């Protein structure tokens, strides 16, 4: 009998069905990858196992751990299992720890709750556990607070809290989604090691096929609250019987069709020369001048008209600062940013005539719109950059055109933003960028928050728009596979500097800089498919999800 | 932590300096000559001039400011224009009513608000929550002087548990004095407690929804343990802010309640002094209140740092 058996689990919250007939097993020492897009019910499956469901939830079926049905246990009995036999790690390491308690206390608490251990004894176990998750005592004493740690380090503390008592089952809900690729690779390695050492069962929940493809033993694919396919990781990708699995796989490795611009004349659109940006840090002493942090350090590059340039780097490398400088949102201390030969700033003022040649699409489709305005008003906002404002008829027509060009209805302008899904919102953000017909569009992690199938659609849209309107893209992302699929040339940024630059394929196939190599090395990869399946997927020109 | 404290102390001194200038200038521009008011309409010009001389009103404004501040630093607040007694003594007597009253009201308000807010948040949507929210809504809406009069009617006139007003002084016995301050303190505390309970509830509900509370539950903590060990301390920041603001209000804002209960406190002193153009008293009391408010804010800042380790380092 398996260690954890989920048998025909159904869940409804306030009468709305969320999960239907979920069944899969988990054995000791086994890693099961649960994959699905947002709303597929993968997290709710995890919360059902932990019995940490929102109010108004009703579950049916059975979840048995060592033969006990968790669904029939009392809350008190569940409390004694959570943290002891069942551990859980969450997606967002930045908020998963209590900011006002030291990491030692937080790990020790797991021990103190379940064992009659003294404070000293539980702190000793906490120390051991932090050592096990590779946070050594000399650099990470128990007295450290979460805000003194990076995202990856915090995730290690969260893992330490979950495994302090060596639980039989560990559930990890998107544990690396918020992390950089190199950190992600380290955390995955750590999880694998812990599973091996403790003979623990790991339920690994993710939206990213590539993350689990070389980690998991078994894979469970979920869609709309149901399991659509299960199988051993080694063979699942080879067979892929369910159309959704195929579609998911295709979307994950989707490369949009882009017309190669052979007549791309070497006309520079954006020229950046020797740009540096300093931030003033708080004073350390009253007398000395405050220290500075150089976020962007002597960066130079050029984007040609019609080109799609990628900028990759990990969080904190300076790519967002650079973006803000290009958009004229911040002044730079040194260097020059020119659009078609004209500087963005004249004196301390942003030149509108230059500024209107570029627009931006941000990452978060939920936070980047004012919820009180109608879509038409949101989309027509960039008009304020023009010298003469269009009349209302002209304005309405422009809004309708922009919405139609991104695949929405012209009449959608009358709606409010909450009426749209994440993917549709990102289309609206693109429509907003298009409306004054800019030359350059800066895409700042524009597809990072989207599910793979939606991401594939947006990438297709971007490729299509670039062909139709001759747009130039600066594509900023931490996701190497996306950058590879949509850019001609790529820049790799680290600690404020460009460390490598070249044709996208050349850089990915043959990276020169050690940092680029480590990035590409760390990025999870989808397994190679047998050739007949690849051919079959290639002929499916429509992604049907 | 030391750095943080020193920085707060520096900002405290700057606040006091700015406040003293603002108070002095404001009172300077208020029309009305104190010497004229003290002597009445029939006073001779040379008598007024003599009195102005005596009160030190003839020197330059700057000199007067310097005299005022340096006097306060040595405990000399000047002499009341009206009563011809040292302002320091007048304030001293009344301080021993207003300060205990404010502290008493704050204590009551906290003792009511914390349990009520925590109860409402931990049982969100329950009868208890509805009851707390309803009562506090009422508490915020009822004017405290009306509530004070109602209490006088019930507890002083009908039940005769308390006296209707006045203050026997601390010499008459500690409990007697506390008893005299009880009704005023309750009247002051009621709206404050209502506000504080609502802030406590919403701050706690916010933190209960945080990811780290979910992490705590995943470790095996019960809902209750997660609330007490993890959510409460994080919810204290907004609550402390409100407590700080309320103390300032209780100290300076008790004018009406002091009048209702015939308490010879600072509020009544300011009220009388303003109507009598006894500007030196007004200046001094206002400055003292500012001092109290700044000190309270300073303590709240220190409390923040004790609650939140992130502030300790950011200094």
């Amino acid at each position: 009998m398996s260690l954890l058996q989920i048998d025909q689990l159904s869940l409804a919250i306030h009468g709305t069905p969320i999960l239907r007939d979920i069944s899969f097993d988990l054995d000791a020492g086994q890693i099961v990858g649960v994959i699905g897009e947002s709303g597929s019910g993968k997290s709710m499956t995890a919360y059902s196992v932990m019995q940490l469901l929102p109010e108004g939830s009703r579950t049916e079926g059975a979840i048995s751990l060592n033969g006990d049905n968790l669904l029939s246990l009392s809350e008190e009995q569940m409390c004694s299992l959570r943290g002891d036999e069942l551990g859980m790690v969450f997606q967002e390491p930045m908020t998963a720890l209590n900011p006002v308690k030291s990491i030692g206390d937080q790990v020790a608490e797991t021990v103190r709750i379940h064992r009659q251990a003294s404070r000293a004894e539980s702190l000793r176990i906490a120390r051991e556990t932090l050592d096990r998750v590779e946070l050594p005592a000399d650099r990470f004493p128990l007295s450290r607070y979460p805000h003194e740690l990076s995202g990856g380090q915090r995730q290690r503390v969260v893992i330490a809290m979950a495994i302090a008592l060596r639980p039989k089952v560990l559930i990890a809900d998107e544990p690396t989604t918020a992390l950089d690729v190199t950190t992600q690779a380290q955390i995955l390695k750590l999880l694998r090691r812990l599973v091996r050492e403790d003979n623990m069962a790991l339920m690994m929940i993710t939206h990213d096929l590539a993350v689990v493809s070389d980690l998991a033993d078994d894979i469970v694919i979920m869609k709309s609250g149901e399991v659509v396919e299960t199988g051993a990781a080694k063979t699942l990708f080879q067979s892929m019987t369910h159309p959704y699995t195929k579609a998911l796989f295709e979307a994950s490795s989707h490369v949009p069709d882009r017309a190669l611009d052979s007549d791309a004349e070497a006309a520079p659109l954006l020229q950046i020369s020797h740009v540096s940006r300093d931030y003033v840090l708080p004073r350390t002493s009253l007398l000395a001048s405050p220290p500075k942090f150089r976020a962007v350090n002597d960066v130079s590059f050029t984007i040609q008209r019609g080109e799609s340039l990628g900028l990759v780097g990990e969080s904190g490398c300076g790519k967002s600062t650079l973006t803000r400088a290009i958009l004229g949102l911040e002044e730079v201390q040194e260097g020059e940013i020119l659009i078609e030969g004209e500087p963005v700033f004249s004196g301390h003022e942003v030149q509108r005539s230059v500024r209107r040649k570029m627009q931006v699409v941000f990452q978060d489709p939920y936070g980047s719109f004012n919820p009180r305005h109608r879509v038409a008003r949101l989309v027509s906002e960039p008009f304020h950059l023009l010298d003469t404002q269009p009349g209302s008829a002209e304005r309405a027509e422009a809004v309708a055109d922009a919405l139609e060009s991104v695949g929405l209805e012209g009449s959608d302008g009358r709606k409010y933003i909450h009426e749209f899904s994440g993917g549709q919102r990102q289309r609206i953000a693109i429509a907003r960028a298009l409306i004054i017909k800019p030359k350059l569009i800066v895409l700042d992690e524009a597809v990072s928050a989207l599910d793979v199938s939606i991401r594939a659609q947006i990438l297709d849209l971007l490729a299509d728009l670039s062909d139709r309107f001759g747009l130039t893209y600066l594509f900023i992302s931490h996701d190497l596979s996306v950058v590879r699929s949509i850019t001609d040339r790529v820049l790799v940024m680290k600690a404020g500097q460009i460390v490598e630059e070249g044709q996208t394929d050349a850089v990915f196939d043959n990276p020169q800089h050690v940092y680029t190599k480590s990035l590409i090395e760390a990025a999870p990869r989808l397994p190679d498919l047998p050739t007949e399946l690849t051919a079959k997927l290639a002929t499916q020109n429509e992604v049907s999800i | 932590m030391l750095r943080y404290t020193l920085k707060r102390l520096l900002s405290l001194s700057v606040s006091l300096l700015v406040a003293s200038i603002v108070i002095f200038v404001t009172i300077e521009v208020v029309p009305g000559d104190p010497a004229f008011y003290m002597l009445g309409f029939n006073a001779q010009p040379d008598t007024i001039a003599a009195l102005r001389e005596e009160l030190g009103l003839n020197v330059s404004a700057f000199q007067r400011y310097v005299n005022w501040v340096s006097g306060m630093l040595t405990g000399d607040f000047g002499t009341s224009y009206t009563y011809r007694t040292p302002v320091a003594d007048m304030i001293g007597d009344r301080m021993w009513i207003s300060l205990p009253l404010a502290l008493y009201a704050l204590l009551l308000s906290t003792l009511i608000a914390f349990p009520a807010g925590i109860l409402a948040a931990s049982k969100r949507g329950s009868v208890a929550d509805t009851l707390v929210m309803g009562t506090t809504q009422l508490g915020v809406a009822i004017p405290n002087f009306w509530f004070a009069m109602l209490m006088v009617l019930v507890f002083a006139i009908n039940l005769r548990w308390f006296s209707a007003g006045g203050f026997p002084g601390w010499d008459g016995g500690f409990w007697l004095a506390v008893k005299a301050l009880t009704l005023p303190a309750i009247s002051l505390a009621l709206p404050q407690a209502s506000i504080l309970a609502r802030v406590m509830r919403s701050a706690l509900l916010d933190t209960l929804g945080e990811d780290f509370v979910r992490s705590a539950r995943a470790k095996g903590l019960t809902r209750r343990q997660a609330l007490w060990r993890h959510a409460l301390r994080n919810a204290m920041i907004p609550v402390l802010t409100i407590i700080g603001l309320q103390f300032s209000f209780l100290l300076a804002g008790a004018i009406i309640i002091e009048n209702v209960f015939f308490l010879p406190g600072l509020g009544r002193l300011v009220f009388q002094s303003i109507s009598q153009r006894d500007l030196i008293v007004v200046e001094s009391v206002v400055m003292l209140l500012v001092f109290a408010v700044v000190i309270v804010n300073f303590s709240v800042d220190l409390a923040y740092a004790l609650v939140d380790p992130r502030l300790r380092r950011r200094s």
Side-chain angles (χ1 to χ4, degrees):
Chain A
M1 197 179 73
S2 295
L3 175 64
L4 183 79
Q5 282 183 309
I6 301 180
D7 188 22
Q8 298 198 310
L9 170 72
S10 294
L11 165 71
I13 301 179
H14 293 298
T16 311
I18 305 292
L19 301 175
R20 272 180 300 268
D21 282 340
I22 306 286
S23 300
F24 62 90
D25 297 349
L26 203 56
D27 281 312
Q30 190 192 25
I31 300 177
V32 171
V34 178
I35 299 167
E37 299 191 284
S38 33
S40 63
K42 53 193 194 306
S43 292
M44 280 302 159
T45 307
Y47 288 129
S48 301
V49 176
M50 295 297 283
Q51 286 289 292
L52 287 175
L53 290 162
E55 272 174 52
S57 302
R58 273 179 57 89
T59 42
E60 281 167 41
I63 300 173
S64 34
L65 177 72
N66 290 332
D68 292 333
N69 184 1
L70 300 181
L71 299 186
S72 61
L73 294 184
S74 70
E75 172 61 18
E76 200 183 333
Q77 288 168 309
M78 274 313 297
C79 279
S80 64
L81 285 181
R82 285 184 212 120
D84 192 358
E85 308 229 323
L86 293 167
M88 184 154 177
V89 177
F90 302 93
Q91 172 171 0
E92 199 33 85
M94 301 314 271
T95 52
L97 293 169
N98 187 341
V100 305
K101 289 197 166 200
S102 69
I103 59 171
D105 281 341
Q106 295 194 56
V107 177
E109 191 176 33
T110 308
V111 182
R112 299 237 279 166
I113 285 285
H114 295 284
R115 306 275 185 271
Q116 301 302 320
S118 66
R119 186 176 153 79
E121 172 65 7
S122 53
L123 283 174
R124 190 189 60 75
I125 297 176
R127 182 66 266 159
E128 266 178 29
T129 316
L130 286 173
D131 289 339
R132 286 190 72 205
V133 298
E134 294 150 25
L135 295 175
D138 52 339
R139 283 175 54 219
F140 303 97
L142 296 175
S143 56
R144 283 276 191 128
Y145 284 97
H147 69 268
E148 299 168 312
L149 307 178
S150 71
Q153 291 160 355
R154 290 186 204 196
Q155 196 61 302
R156 286 172 190 271
V157 177
V158 176
I159 292 172
M161 295 194 320
I163 61 142
L165 295 173
R166 302 184 188 241
K168 296 199 174 78
V169 177
L170 180 66
I171 301 174
D173 187 2
E174 305 263 11
T176 59
T177 306
L179 303 174
D180 284 324
V181 287
T182 46
T183 319
Q184 163 168 292
Q186 291 161 8
I187 295 287
L188 293 176
K189 202 172 135 209
L190 169 70
L191 286 172
R192 197 194 314 235
R193 199 196 85 213
L194 293 171
V195 164
R196 212 174 39 229
E197 284 177 4
D198 292 357
N199 198 28
M200 194 164 57
L202 173 63
M203 187 195 295
M204 176 82 183
I205 293 168
T206 178
H207 68 284
D208 191 339
L209 277 176
V211 163
V212 285
S213 62
D214 57 348
L215 178 77
D217 303 308
D218 275 9
I219 285 180
V220 174
I221 309 245
M222 289 185 69
K223 180 188 185 234
S224 324
E226 288 178 276
V227 172
V228 295
E229 188 160 2
T230 52
K234 283 202 182 66
T235 56
L236 183 110
F237 289 118
Q238 314 298 324
S239 54
M240 288 205 279
T241 53
H242 197 279
Y244 179 73
T245 313
K246 287 180 201 158
L248 203 59
F249 193 91
E250 206 281 337
S252 301
S253 53
H254 182 69
V255 179
D257 255 346
R258 297 198 305 137
L260 287 172
D261 215 357
S262 51
D263 58 325
E265 77 273 42
L269 177 67
L270 174 72
Q271 288 165 286
I272 293 187
S273 47
H274 304 290
V275 163
S276 294
R277 172 76 173 95
D278 293 326
Y279 287 105
V280 178
L281 298 176
R283 270 171 205 278
T284 48
S285 131
L286 273 179
L287 302 173
S289 61
K292 284 177 182 162
F293 172 71
R294 181 150 278 206
V296 174
N297 187 4
D298 194 24
V299 165
S300 303
F301 64 89
T302 303
I303 307 183
Q304 307 296 336
R305 212 177 294 267
E307 192 184 27
S308 175
L309 179 73
L311 178 61
V312 297
E314 299 189 291
S315 39
C317 75
K319 54 190 197 299
S320 297
T321 307
L322 186 59
T323 317
R324 285 200 296 273
I326 293 171
L327 291 168
L329 298 173
E330 284 184 23
E331 274 189 88
V332 296
Q333 274 66 46
E334 283 166 33
E336 217 176 15
I337 300 173
L338 302 174
I339 308 260
E340 293 188 318
E342 286 182 273
V344 177
F345 273 95
S346 71
H348 294 285
E349 289 288 311
V350 176
Q351 290 205 61
R352 286 204 311 170
S353 60
V354 178
R355 181 62 184 75
R356 64 183 167 233
K357 290 177 183 162
M358 54 192 171
Q359 285 294 311
V360 61
V361 178
F362 290 110
Q363 171 171 5
D364 184 1
Y366 292 90
S368 52
F369 293 102
N370 185 333
R372 309 262 180 272
H373 291 172
R374 288 181 200 275
V375 167
R377 175 158 175 197
L378 294 171
V379 169
S380 60
E381 259 167 337
F383 277 136
H384 76 270
L385 288 168
L386 302 181
D387 292 328
T388 50
Q389 296 296 316
S392 60
E394 208 181 324
R395 193 176 267 259
E397 195 180 329
V399 168
D401 279 353
L403 287 173
E404 278 160 24
S405 65
V406 297
L408 297 169
E409 303 280 322
S411 58
D412 286 335
R414 286 196 296 276
K415 296 184 182 166
Y416 285 97
I417 198 71
H418 68 259
E419 297 173 58
F420 297 91
S421 68
Q424 287 171 324
R425 287 177 196 216
Q426 215 56 336
R427 284 175 190 267
I428 293 170
I430 295 168
R432 173 166 67 181
L434 286 175
I435 197 153
I436 53 166
K437 306 201 163 38
K439 303 252 167 49
L440 172 70
I441 295 191
V442 178
L443 299 153
D444 188 358
E445 302 275 7
V447 297
S448 302
L450 304 174
D451 277 325
V452 284
S453 57
I454 309 294
R455 188 174 76 191
Q457 292 167 11
I458 297 289
L459 289 176
D460 281 339
L461 172 68
L462 289 172
D464 173 52
L465 292 172
S466 154
D467 294 344
R468 274 199 284 160
F469 300 116
L471 292 171
T472 306
Y473 291 141
L474 174 57
F475 202 99
I476 296 152
S477 184
H478 70 282
D479 188 332
L480 300 180
S481 67
V482 169
V483 169
R484 183 164 198 174
S485 72
I486 190 126
T487 63
D488 306 310
R489 219 150 48 85
V490 66
L491 307 171
V492 182
M493 196 164 179
K494 181 182 190 252
Q497 288 181 303
I498 306 283
V499 295
E500 185 156 359
E501 172 175 8
Q503 297 300 316
T504 303
D505 285 338
V507 170
F508 277 85
D509 292 336
N510 187 18
Q512 297 302 311
H513 194 275
V514 57
Y515 176 70
T516 316
K517 283 180 188 162
S518 72
L519 272 185
I520 293 172
E521 182 76 9
R525 261 179 300 271
L526 285 167
D528 292 330
L529 295 182
T531 43
E532 72 272 21
L533 200 58
T534 322
K536 211 163 74 188
L537 284 171
T539 54
Q540 295 176 334
N541 37 15
E542 268 301 299
V543 185
S544 50
I545 290 184
Chain B
M1 187 74 193
L2 180 71
R3 246 191 119 74
Y4 177 87
T5 314
L6 288 176
K7 242 175 124 167
R8 294 291 123 206
L9 270 174
L10 185 72
S11 101
L12 177 147
S13 329
V14 173
S15 307
L16 284 179
L17 181 71
V18 172
S20 68
I21 295 172
V22 171
I23 291 167
F24 185 78
V25 169
T26 317
I27 296 214
E28 277 293 301
V29 299
V30 172
D33 182 348
F36 178 78
Y37 269 89
M38 286 163 70
L39 294 173
F41 287 100
N42 300 325
Q44 298 297 315
D46 52 337
T47 341
I48 294 179
L51 185 61
R52 285 179 63 84
E53 180 72 43
E54 191 192 324
L55 294 175
L57 294 172
N58 280 339
V59 295
S60 70
F62 177 73
Q63 189 59 47
R64 281 209 304 282
Y65 174 75
V66 171
N67 291 345
W68 178 55
V69 172
S70 58
M72 277 194 299
L73 289 177
T74 55
D76 175 14
F77 287 70
T79 308
S80 160
Y81 299 157
T82 320
Y83 298 104
R84 303 288 178 111
T85 51
V87 177
D89 294 350
M90 294 169 68
I91 292 178
D93 292 344
R94 287 163 167 82
M95 193 72 183
W96 285 111
I97 296 172
S98 291
L99 192 65
L101 178 62
L103 285 173
Y104 192 4
L106 190 73
L107 184 74
L108 284 178
S109 143
T110 313
L111 285 180
I112 298 167
F114 272 47
I118 293 170
L119 178 75
S122 62
K123 299 196 166 28
R124 185 185 191 175
S126 69
V127 179
D129 184 21
T130 317
L131 208 67
V132 168
M133 289 306 280
T135 318
T136 53
Q137 180 73 60
L138 217 63
V140 175
I142 293 176
N144 62 4
F145 63 87
W146 184 79
F147 184 68
M149 292 190 300
L150 203 71
M151 285 208 303
V152 169
L153 262 176
V154 175
F155 295 105
I157 297 176
N158 287 335
L159 295 173
R160 295 180 178 278
W161 291 353
F162 296 92
S163 64
F167 185 68
W170 293 97
D171 305 332
F174 178 75
W175 291 113
L176 218 60
V178 168
K179 199 176 160 194
L181 291 180
T182 299
L183 288 187
I186 294 175
S187 331
L188 279 172
L190 176 82
Q192 309 292 346
S194 301
I195 296 168
L196 198 59
R198 292 173 88 92
V199 172
M200 182 86 225
R201 175 182 180 272
S202 72
L204 202 50
L205 283 178
D206 282 349
T207 38
L208 280 172
E210 296 270 1
D211 288 350
F212 61 80
V213 173
R214 184 184 60 186
S215 304
R217 296 274 286 135
K219 281 197 271 189
L221 272 74
T222 62
R223 204 178 284 278
R224 206 183 153 78
Q225 284 172 323
L227 186 149
W228 284 97
R229 295 190 191 192
H230 291 275
L232 196 56
R233 197 162 145 197
N234 278 283
M236 282 312 287
I237 293 273
V239 173
L240 281 172
T241 310
I242 299 295
I243 290 183
L245 291 173
Q246 291 195 338
F247 185 72
S248 320
F249 175 82
L250 289 173
L251 202 57
I255 296 181
I256 294 174
I257 291 298
E258 285 180 2
N259 275 306
V260 171
F261 288 98
F262 303 107
L263 293 177
L266 283 177
R268 278 186 90 194
L269 179 66
V270 176
F271 188 68
Q272 288 162 357
S273 307
I274 291 174
S275 50
Q276 291 161 344
R277 287 294 187 281
D278 201 347
L279 297 187
I280 192 151
V281 177
V282 179
E283 267 178 352
S284 304
V285 175
V286 172
M287 192 61 216
L288 201 73
L289 290 176
V290 169
F291 184 72
V293 169
V294 170
I295 291 287
V296 168
N297 283 340
F298 173 70
S299 326
V300 169
D301 280 343
L302 290 190
Y304 283 160
L306 287 179
V307 169
D308 192 340
R310 286 167 295 186
L311 292 175
R312 271 174 249 165
R313 198 191 58 155
R314 205 183 291 161
S315 52

